[in-house]
Amino acid sequence: MTRNTIISSKQVVLLLVLFRVFDLLTFVPQIGGRQNGATVMLALPFSYLLLALILVPALLLLRGRREGNVVDCALALNPAAGKVLAALLFLFSVFAAADTVSNFEFLLTSAIYPETPSLFFVLTFTAVCLYGAFLGLEPVARVNTFVFVLFVGALVFISASVLPKSDFVYLKNPLQGGLSAVWGHALSAAFSNFDAVLFLLFAPNFKGSLSKCFWGWALLTVAMVEYLVMLLTVGLGDFAASQMFPFYSLAAFADLSIFQRLDSLHITLWTFIAFVKVSVYLYFASQCLGYLVPRRLKKTRLAATGILTAAGALMISSDLRFLTAVQKAMATGIPVAVLAVLIPFVLLLWSLIARRKERAR
């Protein structure tokens, strides 16, 4: 891949932060399990410290080859290995996009438009996101910056309504379940963070230090998620665990003199964030497919990517058991462990050995 700086590192940070926020907004306690809010808040900083540690091999690998991503590094060592990795990342990106589409559709059909068939939302939303992927990263990143500002503004409105009526007694002892609960959540949060793989794909698309970009992403994400978890915990208390979408419920209960119902604002922002996230994953899926088929077939690659994404989303959303199974599969951390940790580590060792052999000659 030829290096082409099309977005800034700040835009990358804002993209990744909102992607994490989206995962939190779509969290379903009945599927993801009930968590002590204070424990989650304590574990979150440790999860990013752990993520920084496990990404060291990948960052070292990319630091010496900023004009490419992990696939380019693999291709430079062995063309066959590079193509296998490109195929894996393509499937990963399609899976992540399909999961996001299914989460978006699940909210709309279960909480807002229960009589509308899922097929309508999946097909129309995937088509719109395909157009975003076709436009490229730069326009999508610009939209994301605008959405981020809107989200912060909406959060201010919701906070102004919720905090005066909140009860901070619901912030229980974070060590109630012991240190094992904190460590377990930190470990799970680090390895189930799909955006870690996306961060490695972003490498050739922005200037600047990879490590600085990572820490900007980590610090802003921790601050944003910590506040959202706190707001949800003190705003809904134990009632949050019984809600299908706690943050949607929090927005629905919030009221201000100028916005009597903030749930519509929540849905609007949810739609925008989902659009950006799916568009980015579709873009990188198409880029990875470009290593396997001629790059000039951009529209064909995007069409194939969109079809697979829509099919996957329809299958996931067809039954709550499938949605639950997908969430559990993501929580295992295997995709991140393989694509962001194991493979970059092997490629780093491989490259070091290859350099020593060249020097020996």
Side-chain angles (χ1 to χ4, degrees):
M1 176 183 291
T2 302
R3 179 168 181 169
N4 184 20
T5 305
I6 54 177
I7 59 177
S8 68
S9 57
K10 293 180 181 179
Q11 288 176 314
V12 174
V13 168
L14 293 184
L15 282 166
L16 295 175
V17 169
L18 275 192
F19 292 175
R20 178 52 51 185
V21 167
F22 179 83
D23 293 338
L24 186 61
L25 296 180
T26 56
F27 177 73
V28 180
Q30 291 87 340
I31 295 177
R34 300 182 181 184
Q35 299 286 346
N36 178 357
T39 302
V40 173
M41 294 172 66
L42 179 60
L44 186 61
F46 293 104
S47 73
Y48 276 91
L49 289 174
L50 178 60
L51 191 61
L53 180 63
I54 64 178
L55 287 181
V56 166
L59 295 178
L60 290 176
L61 177 70
L62 292 172
R63 188 174 62 179
R65 193 182 176 86
R66 283 303 310 279
E67 73 279 3
N69 55 33
V70 287
V71 179
D72 297 297
C73 295
L75 286 171
L77 293 169
N78 183 279
K83 290 184 179 297
V84 170
L85 180 55
L88 290 175
L89 287 170
F90 167 73
L91 294 175
F92 165 83
S93 300
V94 168
F95 174 75
D99 177 63
T100 304
V101 173
S102 65
N103 284 338
F104 175 75
E105 177 275 329
F106 184 57
L107 165 73
L108 294 181
T109 56
S110 61
I112 305 174
Y113 304 108
E115 297 181 359
T116 305
S118 60
L119 180 66
F120 171 77
F121 288 117
V122 169
L123 294 183
T124 55
F125 188 66
T126 303
V128 172
C129 293
L130 273 177
Y131 180 68
F134 176 77
L135 294 178
L137 282 181
E138 185 177 9
V140 172
R142 289 179 179 177
V143 170
N144 183 76
T145 302
F146 174 70
V147 174
F148 184 84
V149 174
L150 285 181
F151 176 77
V152 172
L155 191 58
V156 171
F157 281 118
I158 294 176
S159 300
S161 175
V162 171
L163 288 178
K165 299 176 289 186
S166 298
D167 192 345
F168 284 83
V169 72
Y170 289 112
L171 284 177
K172 303 175 183 178
N173 180 7
L175 297 177
Q176 190 175 43
L179 288 175
S180 59
V182 177
W183 169 247
H185 184 81
L187 189 66
S188 175
F191 279 94
S192 62
N193 192 341
F194 274 27
D195 299 332
V197 181
L198 196 63
F199 176 71
L200 302 182
L201 292 175
F202 267 121
N205 295 296
F206 68 96
K207 281 183 177 179
S209 168
L210 283 170
S211 58
K212 288 182 179 179
C213 185
F214 172 84
W215 287 115
W217 163 39
L219 293 174
L220 188 54
T221 300
V222 168
M224 185 70 73
V225 175
E226 292 274 25
Y227 181 77
L228 289 172
V229 172
M230 182 277 295
L231 189 64
L232 175 63
T233 303
V234 302
L236 292 182
D238 295 334
F239 183 63
S242 64
Q243 297 301 295
M244 184 68 75
F245 300 99
F247 276 98
Y248 175 73
S249 300
L250 185 68
F253 292 152
D255 62 88
L256 290 170
S257 58
I258 52 177
F259 292 118
Q260 290 301 317
R261 288 287 297 274
L262 293 176
D263 51 339
S264 58
L265 179 62
H266 175 81
I267 294 300
T268 301
L269 288 170
W270 195 337
T271 303
F272 277 127
I273 299 173
F275 161 75
V276 172
K277 184 173 183 177
V278 175
S279 296
V280 169
Y281 270 107
L282 290 178
Y283 172 84
F284 280 116
S286 176
Q287 292 293 303
C288 291
L289 189 58
Y291 291 103
L292 307 175
V293 301
R295 284 190 171 274
R296 66 179 182 274
L297 302 177
K298 179 180 179 180
K299 293 182 180 179
T300 303
R301 297 199 318 266
L302 281 172
T305 300
I307 291 172
L308 288 176
T309 298
L314 286 172
M315 183 177 67
I316 294 172
S317 60
S318 63
D319 194 313
L320 186 60
R321 291 175 298 178
F322 293 153
L323 185 63
T324 304
V326 167
Q327 298 302 317
K328 289 182 178 179
M330 293 171 63
T332 62
I334 294 176
V336 174
V338 172
L339 296 174
V341 183
L342 179 60
I343 290 179
F345 178 72
V346 172
L347 291 176
L348 180 62
L349 288 180
W350 195 346
S351 64
L352 292 175
I353 293 173
R355 289 176 186 175
R356 286 186 178 181
K357 288 183 177 180
E358 289 181 0
R359 291 173 182 175
R361 293 176 184 175

